[in-house]
Amino acid sequence: MIAIMVHGGAGHPVTESDGCLVAAQCGWQQLASGGDALTAIVNAIVVLENDGRYNAGRGSLLRMDGRTIEMDAGIMDSRGALGAVAAIRDVANPVLVAHAVADTPHWMLAGRGAYECARAMGLAVAFEASDKAHEAHRQTMSEIAQGDEGGEVSERFKTFWNFDTPWQEAIDHHGTGTVGAVALDSDGHFAAGASTGGSMPALMGRVGDTPILGCGYFAGSEGAIAVTGIGEHIVPRMLARTVYGWLQSGMPLQQALNCGVDLLPPDSDIGLIGVSRQEMAFACRPTMPTSGIQDGEIR
């Protein structure tokens, strides 16, 4: 079996699955020609980062100051490749930088160091935030200003505010998601990866689950898992590695993914995709755009 599956983020509408199909087809071309799983998932995630509808790459959310975009990405395969970037700016395709980091002596680069690595490789590409990102920012800041997000939450963000733009100016002038992919190639190797523009509201420098090994993604000899949702809920549970552990112990993939969803609070958006040697599957709450191709058949 060879297979690839991608997702467009927990909570996103299933109508956005068309972009996931384009991404899956791009990755599938790599697999069908005998290529490796890692390159396939990287190629697929690049398509999603370029789409603009998903919270990754060119579609990334703005941070609370209405100016800053910070992105995370991570990749891994069952042969030992591992690379990640955190809080990187001015890069349209963070997953390409994460892939490049896997060839360095390190597994993760963050902030300015990650950007300089991207610049050295010709991957530094500044871009404007999308209209969708601006609207999401305006709505979130408006809710915070009106207290809809809860007084305690608003006060905490105000207390720890760490942007150059003053708190009140951000409130006056500006009113969740991840993409990921998993694959199995013809040589029996697995790969998993994820990319995100972060979450709102979030302080500058916030890093979620997406670039963290075992939290947002994991690949081993028995399969690959990618996760999307609220990082602050996912990281304490090391969700990707936990689900992989169930798969490793003999639990069927679909059951393991369902159990992963059940680990999180019932009001938390969550999604998982996975591939094993027998199947590929997904589980989510409430919705998540997905698409996959297994042995040439679109799923």
PDB file of all heavy atoms in Angstrom, residues 214-215 218 222-227 237-264 270-275 283:
ATOM      1  N   GLY A 214       5.969  14.703  18.629  1.00  0.00           N
ATOM      2  CA  GLY A 214       5.103  13.905  19.491  1.00  0.00           C
ATOM      3  C   GLY A 214       3.818  14.598  19.885  1.00  0.00           C
ATOM      4  O   GLY A 214       2.935  13.962  20.472  1.00  0.00           O
ATOM      5  N   CYS A 215       3.710  15.886  19.585  1.00  0.00           N
ATOM      6  CA  CYS A 215       2.493  16.640  19.918  1.00  0.00           C
ATOM      7  C   CYS A 215       1.666  16.897  18.661  1.00  0.00           C
ATOM      8  O   CYS A 215       0.545  16.417  18.532  1.00  0.00           O
ATOM      9  CB  CYS A 215       2.855  17.941  20.609  1.00  0.00           C
ATOM     10  SG  CYS A 215       3.688  17.699  22.193  1.00  0.00           S
ATOM     11  N   PHE A 218       3.861  12.813  14.464  1.00  0.00           N
ATOM     12  CA  PHE A 218       4.770  11.729  14.839  1.00  0.00           C
ATOM     13  C   PHE A 218       4.733  10.667  13.747  1.00  0.00           C
ATOM     14  O   PHE A 218       3.672  10.339  13.198  1.00  0.00           O
ATOM     15  CB  PHE A 218       4.382  11.090  16.168  1.00  0.00           C
ATOM     16  CG  PHE A 218       5.474  10.197  16.713  1.00  0.00           C
ATOM     17  CD1 PHE A 218       6.521  10.719  17.451  1.00  0.00           C
ATOM     18  CD2 PHE A 218       5.470   8.829  16.452  1.00  0.00           C
ATOM     19  CE1 PHE A 218       7.549   9.909  17.927  1.00  0.00           C
ATOM     20  CE2 PHE A 218       6.486   8.003  16.917  1.00  0.00           C
ATOM     21  CZ  PHE A 218       7.527   8.549  17.663  1.00  0.00           C
ATOM     22  N   GLU A 222       5.351   1.950  12.517  1.00  0.00           N
ATOM     23  CA  GLU A 222       3.994   1.405  12.401  1.00  0.00           C
ATOM     24  C   GLU A 222       2.997   2.374  11.790  1.00  0.00           C
ATOM     25  O   GLU A 222       1.858   1.995  11.510  1.00  0.00           O
ATOM     26  CB  GLU A 222       3.486   0.973  13.781  1.00  0.00           C
ATOM     27  CG  GLU A 222       4.329  -0.080  14.458  1.00  0.00           C
ATOM     28  CD  GLU A 222       4.454  -1.344  13.612  1.00  0.00           C
ATOM     29  OE1 GLU A 222       3.442  -1.755  13.027  1.00  0.00           O
ATOM     30  OE2 GLU A 222       5.562  -1.902  13.549  1.00  0.00           O
ATOM     31  N   GLY A 223       3.397   3.637  11.603  1.00  0.00           N
ATOM     32  CA  GLY A 223       2.447   4.578  11.034  1.00  0.00           C
ATOM     33  C   GLY A 223       2.860   6.018  11.243  1.00  0.00           C
ATOM     34  O   GLY A 223       3.954   6.317  11.736  1.00  0.00           O
ATOM     35  N   ALA A 224       1.958   6.933  10.866  1.00  0.00           N
ATOM     36  CA  ALA A 224       2.205   8.367  10.998  1.00  0.00           C
ATOM     37  C   ALA A 224       0.920   9.056  11.419  1.00  0.00           C
ATOM     38  O   ALA A 224      -0.172   8.691  10.960  1.00  0.00           O
ATOM     39  CB  ALA A 224       2.710   8.946   9.684  1.00  0.00           C
ATOM     40  N   ILE A 225       1.051  10.054  12.288  1.00  0.00           N
ATOM     41  CA  ILE A 225      -0.089  10.783  12.834  1.00  0.00           C
ATOM     42  C   ILE A 225       0.178  12.279  12.727  1.00  0.00           C
ATOM     43  O   ILE A 225       1.290  12.746  12.993  1.00  0.00           O
ATOM     44  CB  ILE A 225      -0.316  10.440  14.327  1.00  0.00           C
ATOM     45  CG1 ILE A 225      -0.430   8.925  14.535  1.00  0.00           C
ATOM     46  CG2 ILE A 225      -1.541  11.176  14.870  1.00  0.00           C
ATOM     47  CD1 ILE A 225      -1.644   8.284  13.927  1.00  0.00           C
ATOM     48  N   ALA A 226      -0.847  13.068  12.354  1.00  0.00           N
ATOM     49  CA  ALA A 226      -0.777  14.528  12.377  1.00  0.00           C
ATOM     50  C   ALA A 226      -2.007  15.052  13.099  1.00  0.00           C
ATOM     51  O   ALA A 226      -3.110  14.515  12.942  1.00  0.00           O
ATOM     52  CB  ALA A 226      -0.700  15.102  10.966  1.00  0.00           C
ATOM     53  N   VAL A 227      -1.814  16.106  13.888  1.00  0.00           N
ATOM     54  CA  VAL A 227      -2.857  16.611  14.783  1.00  0.00           C
ATOM     55  C   VAL A 227      -3.116  18.089  14.508  1.00  0.00           C
ATOM     56  O   VAL A 227      -2.202  18.831  14.152  1.00  0.00           O
ATOM     57  CB  VAL A 227      -2.436  16.434  16.255  1.00  0.00           C
ATOM     58  CG1 VAL A 227      -3.509  16.957  17.201  1.00  0.00           C
ATOM     59  CG2 VAL A 227      -2.134  14.965  16.551  1.00  0.00           C
ATOM     60  N   ARG A 237      -0.883  16.408  26.516  1.00  0.00           N
ATOM     61  CA  ARG A 237      -1.262  15.011  26.260  1.00  0.00           C
ATOM     62  C   ARG A 237      -0.322  14.333  25.270  1.00  0.00           C
ATOM     63  O   ARG A 237      -0.487  13.161  24.974  1.00  0.00           O
ATOM     64  CB  ARG A 237      -2.700  14.959  25.750  1.00  0.00           C
ATOM     65  CG  ARG A 237      -3.714  15.440  26.795  1.00  0.00           C
ATOM     66  CD  ARG A 237      -5.064  15.767  26.166  1.00  0.00           C
ATOM     67  NE  ARG A 237      -6.063  16.094  27.181  1.00  0.00           N
ATOM     68  CZ  ARG A 237      -6.230  17.306  27.724  1.00  0.00           C
ATOM     69  NH1 ARG A 237      -5.442  18.308  27.344  1.00  0.00           N
ATOM     70  NH2 ARG A 237      -7.169  17.528  28.634  1.00  0.00           N
ATOM     71  N   MET A 238       0.663  15.098  24.742  1.00  0.00           N
ATOM     72  CA  MET A 238       1.565  14.571  23.695  1.00  0.00           C
ATOM     73  C   MET A 238       0.758  13.731  22.720  1.00  0.00           C
ATOM     74  O   MET A 238       1.026  12.554  22.482  1.00  0.00           O
ATOM     75  CB  MET A 238       2.704  13.772  24.315  1.00  0.00           C
ATOM     76  CG  MET A 238       3.656  14.597  25.156  1.00  0.00           C
ATOM     77  SD  MET A 238       5.208  13.748  25.523  1.00  0.00           S
ATOM     78  CE  MET A 238       5.946  13.640  23.891  1.00  0.00           C
ATOM     79  N   LEU A 239      -0.254  14.374  22.133  1.00  0.00           N
ATOM     80  CA  LEU A 239      -1.333  13.652  21.475  1.00  0.00           C
ATOM     81  C   LEU A 239      -0.885  12.772  20.313  1.00  0.00           C
ATOM     82  O   LEU A 239      -1.324  11.623  20.190  1.00  0.00           O
ATOM     83  CB  LEU A 239      -2.408  14.641  21.012  1.00  0.00           C
ATOM     84  CG  LEU A 239      -3.736  14.023  20.597  1.00  0.00           C
ATOM     85  CD1 LEU A 239      -4.344  13.202  21.721  1.00  0.00           C
ATOM     86  CD2 LEU A 239      -4.710  15.119  20.160  1.00  0.00           C
ATOM     87  N   ALA A 240      -0.028  13.281  19.442  1.00  0.00           N
ATOM     88  CA  ALA A 240       0.396  12.471  18.290  1.00  0.00           C
ATOM     89  C   ALA A 240       1.136  11.218  18.739  1.00  0.00           C
ATOM     90  O   ALA A 240       0.888  10.123  18.231  1.00  0.00           O
ATOM     91  CB  ALA A 240       1.278  13.300  17.366  1.00  0.00           C
ATOM     92  N   ARG A 241       2.034  11.363  19.713  1.00  0.00           N
ATOM     93  CA  ARG A 241       2.789  10.199  20.197  1.00  0.00           C
ATOM     94  C   ARG A 241       1.890   9.247  20.979  1.00  0.00           C
ATOM     95  O   ARG A 241       2.068   8.022  20.906  1.00  0.00           O
ATOM     96  CB  ARG A 241       3.961  10.656  21.081  1.00  0.00           C
ATOM     97  CG  ARG A 241       4.815   9.501  21.600  1.00  0.00           C
ATOM     98  CD  ARG A 241       5.413   8.711  20.461  1.00  0.00           C
ATOM     99  NE  ARG A 241       6.218   7.576  20.902  1.00  0.00           N
ATOM    100  CZ  ARG A 241       5.743   6.364  21.169  1.00  0.00           C
ATOM    101  NH1 ARG A 241       4.438   6.134  21.073  1.00  0.00           N
ATOM    102  NH2 ARG A 241       6.555   5.392  21.539  1.00  0.00           N
ATOM    103  N   THR A 242       0.934   9.785  21.716  1.00  0.00           N
ATOM    104  CA  THR A 242       0.005   8.935  22.469  1.00  0.00           C
ATOM    105  C   THR A 242      -0.821   8.069  21.527  1.00  0.00           C
ATOM    106  O   THR A 242      -0.968   6.863  21.738  1.00  0.00           O
ATOM    107  CB  THR A 242      -0.925   9.800  23.333  1.00  0.00           C
ATOM    108  OG1 THR A 242      -0.135  10.516  24.289  1.00  0.00           O
ATOM    109  CG2 THR A 242      -1.946   8.952  24.066  1.00  0.00           C
ATOM    110  N   VAL A 243      -1.338   8.693  20.471  1.00  0.00           N
ATOM    111  CA  VAL A 243      -2.135   7.942  19.499  1.00  0.00           C
ATOM    112  C   VAL A 243      -1.269   6.921  18.775  1.00  0.00           C
ATOM    113  O   VAL A 243      -1.691   5.776  18.543  1.00  0.00           O
ATOM    114  CB  VAL A 243      -2.802   8.904  18.501  1.00  0.00           C
ATOM    115  CG1 VAL A 243      -3.468   8.137  17.364  1.00  0.00           C
ATOM    116  CG2 VAL A 243      -3.841   9.773  19.214  1.00  0.00           C
ATOM    117  N   TYR A 244      -0.034   7.315  18.432  1.00  0.00           N
ATOM    118  CA  TYR A 244       0.874   6.358  17.786  1.00  0.00           C
ATOM    119  C   TYR A 244       1.152   5.175  18.716  1.00  0.00           C
ATOM    120  O   TYR A 244       1.246   4.025  18.260  1.00  0.00           O
ATOM    121  CB  TYR A 244       2.191   7.036  17.411  1.00  0.00           C
ATOM    122  CG  TYR A 244       3.191   6.067  16.822  1.00  0.00           C
ATOM    123  CD1 TYR A 244       3.111   5.694  15.493  1.00  0.00           C
ATOM    124  CD2 TYR A 244       4.194   5.493  17.611  1.00  0.00           C
ATOM    125  CE1 TYR A 244       4.006   4.782  14.949  1.00  0.00           C
ATOM    126  CE2 TYR A 244       5.089   4.585  17.085  1.00  0.00           C
ATOM    127  CZ  TYR A 244       4.993   4.231  15.753  1.00  0.00           C
ATOM    128  OH  TYR A 244       5.872   3.315  15.223  1.00  0.00           O
ATOM    129  N   GLY A 245       1.273   5.422  20.000  1.00  0.00           N
ATOM    130  CA  GLY A 245       1.503   4.346  20.959  1.00  0.00           C
ATOM    131  C   GLY A 245       0.376   3.339  20.962  1.00  0.00           C
ATOM    132  O   GLY A 245       0.618   2.122  21.050  1.00  0.00           O
ATOM    133  N   TRP A 246      -0.855   3.817  20.862  1.00  0.00           N
ATOM    134  CA  TRP A 246      -1.994   2.885  20.778  1.00  0.00           C
ATOM    135  C   TRP A 246      -1.921   2.073  19.493  1.00  0.00           C
ATOM    136  O   TRP A 246      -2.186   0.864  19.498  1.00  0.00           O
ATOM    137  CB  TRP A 246      -3.299   3.670  20.815  1.00  0.00           C
ATOM    138  CG  TRP A 246      -3.582   4.316  22.138  1.00  0.00           C
ATOM    139  CD1 TRP A 246      -3.174   3.881  23.369  1.00  0.00           C
ATOM    140  CD2 TRP A 246      -4.317   5.514  22.363  1.00  0.00           C
ATOM    141  NE1 TRP A 246      -3.622   4.730  24.350  1.00  0.00           N
ATOM    142  CE2 TRP A 246      -4.320   5.732  23.767  1.00  0.00           C
ATOM    143  CE3 TRP A 246      -4.978   6.421  21.541  1.00  0.00           C
ATOM    144  CZ2 TRP A 246      -4.975   6.834  24.342  1.00  0.00           C
ATOM    145  CZ3 TRP A 246      -5.615   7.509  22.105  1.00  0.00           C
ATOM    146  CH2 TRP A 246      -5.614   7.710  23.495  1.00  0.00           C
ATOM    147  N   LEU A 247      -1.565   2.729  18.395  1.00  0.00           N
ATOM    148  CA  LEU A 247      -1.410   2.031  17.121  1.00  0.00           C
ATOM    149  C   LEU A 247      -0.312   0.981  17.220  1.00  0.00           C
ATOM    150  O   LEU A 247      -0.470  -0.160  16.755  1.00  0.00           O
ATOM    151  CB  LEU A 247      -1.084   3.055  16.033  1.00  0.00           C
ATOM    152  CG  LEU A 247      -0.911   2.545  14.606  1.00  0.00           C
ATOM    153  CD1 LEU A 247      -2.205   1.975  14.066  1.00  0.00           C
ATOM    154  CD2 LEU A 247      -0.416   3.677  13.700  1.00  0.00           C
ATOM    155  N   GLN A 248       0.782   1.338  17.857  1.00  0.00           N
ATOM    156  CA  GLN A 248       1.922   0.430  18.023  1.00  0.00           C
ATOM    157  C   GLN A 248       1.555  -0.791  18.853  1.00  0.00           C
ATOM    158  O   GLN A 248       2.087  -1.890  18.639  1.00  0.00           O
ATOM    159  CB  GLN A 248       3.066   1.201  18.671  1.00  0.00           C
ATOM    160  CG  GLN A 248       4.415   0.530  18.627  1.00  0.00           C
ATOM    161  CD  GLN A 248       5.481   1.433  19.203  1.00  0.00           C
ATOM    162  OE1 GLN A 248       5.232   2.222  20.137  1.00  0.00           O
ATOM    163  NE2 GLN A 248       6.677   1.379  18.652  1.00  0.00           N
ATOM    164  N   SER A 249       0.628  -0.615  19.790  1.00  0.00           N
ATOM    165  CA  SER A 249       0.223  -1.730  20.659  1.00  0.00           C
ATOM    166  C   SER A 249      -0.784  -2.659  19.993  1.00  0.00           C
ATOM    167  O   SER A 249      -1.161  -3.670  20.581  1.00  0.00           O
ATOM    168  CB  SER A 249      -0.375  -1.180  21.953  1.00  0.00           C
ATOM    169  OG  SER A 249      -1.633  -0.560  21.703  1.00  0.00           O
ATOM    170  N   GLY A 250      -1.224  -2.313  18.774  1.00  0.00           N
ATOM    171  CA  GLY A 250      -2.140  -3.182  18.052  1.00  0.00           C
ATOM    172  C   GLY A 250      -3.541  -2.647  17.865  1.00  0.00           C
ATOM    173  O   GLY A 250      -4.374  -3.277  17.217  1.00  0.00           O
ATOM    174  N   MET A 251      -3.832  -1.470  18.410  1.00  0.00           N
ATOM    175  CA  MET A 251      -5.162  -0.880  18.238  1.00  0.00           C
ATOM    176  C   MET A 251      -5.356  -0.462  16.783  1.00  0.00           C
ATOM    177  O   MET A 251      -4.461   0.109  16.176  1.00  0.00           O
ATOM    178  CB  MET A 251      -5.324   0.337  19.157  1.00  0.00           C
ATOM    179  CG  MET A 251      -6.709   0.964  19.113  1.00  0.00           C
ATOM    180  SD  MET A 251      -6.848   2.452  20.172  1.00  0.00           S
ATOM    181  CE  MET A 251      -6.747   1.701  21.813  1.00  0.00           C
ATOM    182  N   PRO A 252      -6.517  -0.744  16.184  1.00  0.00           N
ATOM    183  CA  PRO A 252      -6.780  -0.295  14.814  1.00  0.00           C
ATOM    184  C   PRO A 252      -6.671   1.224  14.700  1.00  0.00           C
ATOM    185  O   PRO A 252      -6.991   1.958  15.646  1.00  0.00           O
ATOM    186  CB  PRO A 252      -8.215  -0.764  14.557  1.00  0.00           C
ATOM    187  CG  PRO A 252      -8.414  -1.912  15.499  1.00  0.00           C
ATOM    188  CD  PRO A 252      -7.623  -1.561  16.726  1.00  0.00           C
ATOM    189  N   LEU A 253      -6.230   1.707  13.552  1.00  0.00           N
ATOM    190  CA  LEU A 253      -5.974   3.133  13.368  1.00  0.00           C
ATOM    191  C   LEU A 253      -7.203   3.983  13.661  1.00  0.00           C
ATOM    192  O   LEU A 253      -7.105   4.979  14.398  1.00  0.00           O
ATOM    193  CB  LEU A 253      -5.491   3.389  11.934  1.00  0.00           C
ATOM    194  CG  LEU A 253      -5.266   4.858  11.562  1.00  0.00           C
ATOM    195  CD1 LEU A 253      -4.189   5.483  12.424  1.00  0.00           C
ATOM    196  CD2 LEU A 253      -4.919   4.972  10.077  1.00  0.00           C
ATOM    197  N   GLN A 254      -8.341   3.636  13.097  1.00  0.00           N
ATOM    198  CA  GLN A 254      -9.529   4.461  13.306  1.00  0.00           C
ATOM    199  C   GLN A 254      -9.904   4.552  14.783  1.00  0.00           C
ATOM    200  O   GLN A 254     -10.253   5.626  15.284  1.00  0.00           O
ATOM    201  CB  GLN A 254     -10.716   3.906  12.511  1.00  0.00           C
ATOM    202  CG  GLN A 254     -11.962   4.793  12.561  1.00  0.00           C
ATOM    203  CD  GLN A 254     -11.751   6.130  11.873  1.00  0.00           C
ATOM    204  OE1 GLN A 254     -11.616   6.198  10.648  1.00  0.00           O
ATOM    205  NE2 GLN A 254     -11.725   7.217  12.644  1.00  0.00           N
ATOM    206  N   GLN A 255      -9.793   3.455  15.491  1.00  0.00           N
ATOM    207  CA  GLN A 255     -10.100   3.460  16.920  1.00  0.00           C
ATOM    208  C   GLN A 255      -9.115   4.348  17.679  1.00  0.00           C
ATOM    209  O   GLN A 255      -9.507   5.096  18.585  1.00  0.00           O
ATOM    210  CB  GLN A 255     -10.059   2.037  17.482  1.00  0.00           C
ATOM    211  CG  GLN A 255     -10.421   1.950  18.961  1.00  0.00           C
ATOM    212  CD  GLN A 255     -10.344   0.525  19.500  1.00  0.00           C
ATOM    213  OE1 GLN A 255     -10.156  -0.439  18.738  1.00  0.00           O
ATOM    214  NE2 GLN A 255     -10.478   0.384  20.805  1.00  0.00           N
ATOM    215  N   ALA A 256      -7.837   4.274  17.317  1.00  0.00           N
ATOM    216  CA  ALA A 256      -6.823   5.090  17.984  1.00  0.00           C
ATOM    217  C   ALA A 256      -7.090   6.584  17.761  1.00  0.00           C
ATOM    218  O   ALA A 256      -6.973   7.390  18.693  1.00  0.00           O
ATOM    219  CB  ALA A 256      -5.435   4.725  17.473  1.00  0.00           C
ATOM    220  N   LEU A 257      -7.465   6.962  16.543  1.00  0.00           N
ATOM    221  CA  LEU A 257      -7.766   8.357  16.254  1.00  0.00           C
ATOM    222  C   LEU A 257      -8.999   8.823  17.021  1.00  0.00           C
ATOM    223  O   LEU A 257      -9.031   9.941  17.558  1.00  0.00           O
ATOM    224  CB  LEU A 257      -7.981   8.550  14.751  1.00  0.00           C
ATOM    225  CG  LEU A 257      -6.782   8.246  13.839  1.00  0.00           C
ATOM    226  CD1 LEU A 257      -7.175   8.441  12.387  1.00  0.00           C
ATOM    227  CD2 LEU A 257      -5.585   9.115  14.182  1.00  0.00           C
ATOM    228  N   ASN A 258     -10.021   7.978  17.080  1.00  0.00           N
ATOM    229  CA  ASN A 258     -11.238   8.318  17.830  1.00  0.00           C
ATOM    230  C   ASN A 258     -10.918   8.530  19.312  1.00  0.00           C
ATOM    231  O   ASN A 258     -11.434   9.454  19.944  1.00  0.00           O
ATOM    232  CB  ASN A 258     -12.284   7.223  17.678  1.00  0.00           C
ATOM    233  CG  ASN A 258     -12.852   7.135  16.271  1.00  0.00           C
ATOM    234  OD1 ASN A 258     -12.731   8.074  15.477  1.00  0.00           O
ATOM    235  ND2 ASN A 258     -13.463   6.018  15.943  1.00  0.00           N
ATOM    236  N   CYS A 259     -10.082   7.663  19.864  1.00  0.00           N
ATOM    237  CA  CYS A 259      -9.688   7.799  21.269  1.00  0.00           C
ATOM    238  C   CYS A 259      -8.900   9.089  21.494  1.00  0.00           C
ATOM    239  O   CYS A 259      -9.009   9.722  22.553  1.00  0.00           O
ATOM    240  CB  CYS A 259      -8.858   6.596  21.711  1.00  0.00           C
ATOM    241  SG  CYS A 259      -9.789   5.060  21.866  1.00  0.00           S
ATOM    242  N   GLY A 260      -8.117   9.489  20.492  1.00  0.00           N
ATOM    243  CA  GLY A 260      -7.380  10.738  20.585  1.00  0.00           C
ATOM    244  C   GLY A 260      -8.304  11.941  20.675  1.00  0.00           C
ATOM    245  O   GLY A 260      -8.078  12.858  21.472  1.00  0.00           O
ATOM    246  N   VAL A 261      -9.353  11.942  19.871  1.00  0.00           N
ATOM    247  CA  VAL A 261     -10.351  13.009  19.937  1.00  0.00           C
ATOM    248  C   VAL A 261     -10.989  13.058  21.318  1.00  0.00           C
ATOM    249  O   VAL A 261     -11.178  14.126  21.903  1.00  0.00           O
ATOM    250  CB  VAL A 261     -11.425  12.812  18.852  1.00  0.00           C
ATOM    251  CG1 VAL A 261     -12.616  13.746  19.095  1.00  0.00           C
ATOM    252  CG2 VAL A 261     -10.845  13.047  17.467  1.00  0.00           C
ATOM    253  N   ASP A 262     -11.288  11.891  21.875  1.00  0.00           N
ATOM    254  CA  ASP A 262     -11.969  11.815  23.174  1.00  0.00           C
ATOM    255  C   ASP A 262     -11.097  12.283  24.341  1.00  0.00           C
ATOM    256  O   ASP A 262     -11.618  12.560  25.420  1.00  0.00           O
ATOM    257  CB  ASP A 262     -12.432  10.375  23.434  1.00  0.00           C
ATOM    258  CG  ASP A 262     -13.556   9.946  22.501  1.00  0.00           C
ATOM    259  OD1 ASP A 262     -14.226  10.835  21.931  1.00  0.00           O
ATOM    260  OD2 ASP A 262     -13.754   8.729  22.332  1.00  0.00           O
ATOM    261  N   LEU A 263      -9.780  12.367  24.132  1.00  0.00           N
ATOM    262  CA  LEU A 263      -8.888  12.823  25.200  1.00  0.00           C
ATOM    263  C   LEU A 263      -9.038  14.310  25.493  1.00  0.00           C
ATOM    264  O   LEU A 263      -8.701  14.771  26.579  1.00  0.00           O
ATOM    265  CB  LEU A 263      -7.431  12.539  24.830  1.00  0.00           C
ATOM    266  CG  LEU A 263      -6.858  11.161  25.138  1.00  0.00           C
ATOM    267  CD1 LEU A 263      -5.380  11.132  24.771  1.00  0.00           C
ATOM    268  CD2 LEU A 263      -7.035  10.785  26.598  1.00  0.00           C
ATOM    269  N   LEU A 264      -9.522  15.079  24.512  1.00  0.00           N
ATOM    270  CA  LEU A 264      -9.604  16.518  24.681  1.00  0.00           C
ATOM    271  C   LEU A 264     -10.972  16.952  25.192  1.00  0.00           C
ATOM    272  O   LEU A 264     -11.950  16.226  25.039  1.00  0.00           O
ATOM    273  CB  LEU A 264      -9.280  17.221  23.360  1.00  0.00           C
ATOM    274  CG  LEU A 264      -7.794  17.566  23.203  1.00  0.00           C
ATOM    275  CD1 LEU A 264      -6.968  16.304  23.000  1.00  0.00           C
ATOM    276  CD2 LEU A 264      -7.569  18.536  22.069  1.00  0.00           C
ATOM    277  N   ILE A 270     -10.791  19.705  17.515  1.00  0.00           N
ATOM    278  CA  ILE A 270      -9.670  18.767  17.435  1.00  0.00           C
ATOM    279  C   ILE A 270      -9.802  17.907  16.184  1.00  0.00           C
ATOM    280  O   ILE A 270     -10.915  17.558  15.772  1.00  0.00           O
ATOM    281  CB  ILE A 270      -9.602  17.862  18.697  1.00  0.00           C
ATOM    282  CG1 ILE A 270      -8.428  16.869  18.608  1.00  0.00           C
ATOM    283  CG2 ILE A 270     -10.912  17.138  18.915  1.00  0.00           C
ATOM    284  CD1 ILE A 270      -7.066  17.494  18.606  1.00  0.00           C
ATOM    285  N   GLY A 271      -8.686  17.596  15.561  1.00  0.00           N
ATOM    286  CA  GLY A 271      -8.697  16.721  14.399  1.00  0.00           C
ATOM    287  C   GLY A 271      -7.404  15.932  14.309  1.00  0.00           C
ATOM    288  O   GLY A 271      -6.339  16.428  14.698  1.00  0.00           O
ATOM    289  N   LEU A 272      -7.498  14.705  13.839  1.00  0.00           N
ATOM    290  CA  LEU A 272      -6.328  13.855  13.642  1.00  0.00           C
ATOM    291  C   LEU A 272      -6.457  13.117  12.319  1.00  0.00           C
ATOM    292  O   LEU A 272      -7.560  12.718  11.926  1.00  0.00           O
ATOM    293  CB  LEU A 272      -6.180  12.821  14.757  1.00  0.00           C
ATOM    294  CG  LEU A 272      -6.030  13.314  16.194  1.00  0.00           C
ATOM    295  CD1 LEU A 272      -7.388  13.294  16.892  1.00  0.00           C
ATOM    296  CD2 LEU A 272      -5.060  12.439  16.980  1.00  0.00           C
ATOM    297  N   ILE A 273      -5.334  12.953  11.639  1.00  0.00           N
ATOM    298  CA  ILE A 273      -5.266  12.075  10.477  1.00  0.00           C
ATOM    299  C   ILE A 273      -4.143  11.083  10.720  1.00  0.00           C
ATOM    300  O   ILE A 273      -3.203  11.355  11.476  1.00  0.00           O
ATOM    301  CB  ILE A 273      -5.033  12.836   9.163  1.00  0.00           C
ATOM    302  CG1 ILE A 273      -3.728  13.652   9.225  1.00  0.00           C
ATOM    303  CG2 ILE A 273      -6.220  13.723   8.839  1.00  0.00           C
ATOM    304  CD1 ILE A 273      -3.357  14.303   7.900  1.00  0.00           C
ATOM    305  N   GLY A 274      -4.252   9.914  10.086  1.00  0.00           N
ATOM    306  CA  GLY A 274      -3.223   8.905  10.280  1.00  0.00           C
ATOM    307  C   GLY A 274      -3.178   7.912   9.145  1.00  0.00           C
ATOM    308  O   GLY A 274      -4.141   7.755   8.385  1.00  0.00           O
ATOM    309  N   VAL A 275      -2.036   7.248   9.031  1.00  0.00           N
ATOM    310  CA  VAL A 275      -1.882   6.163   8.076  1.00  0.00           C
ATOM    311  C   VAL A 275      -1.084   5.052   8.747  1.00  0.00           C
ATOM    312  O   VAL A 275      -0.135   5.315   9.488  1.00  0.00           O
ATOM    313  CB  VAL A 275      -1.192   6.648   6.778  1.00  0.00           C
ATOM    314  CG1 VAL A 275       0.204   7.187   7.062  1.00  0.00           C
ATOM    315  CG2 VAL A 275      -1.113   5.538   5.738  1.00  0.00           C
ATOM    316  N   ALA A 283     -10.239  11.520  12.202  1.00  0.00           N
ATOM    317  CA  ALA A 283     -11.279  11.732  13.209  1.00  0.00           C
ATOM    318  C   ALA A 283     -11.227  13.196  13.603  1.00  0.00           C
ATOM    319  O   ALA A 283     -10.145  13.792  13.666  1.00  0.00           O
ATOM    320  CB  ALA A 283     -11.054  10.841  14.431  1.00  0.00           C
TER     321      ALA A 283
END
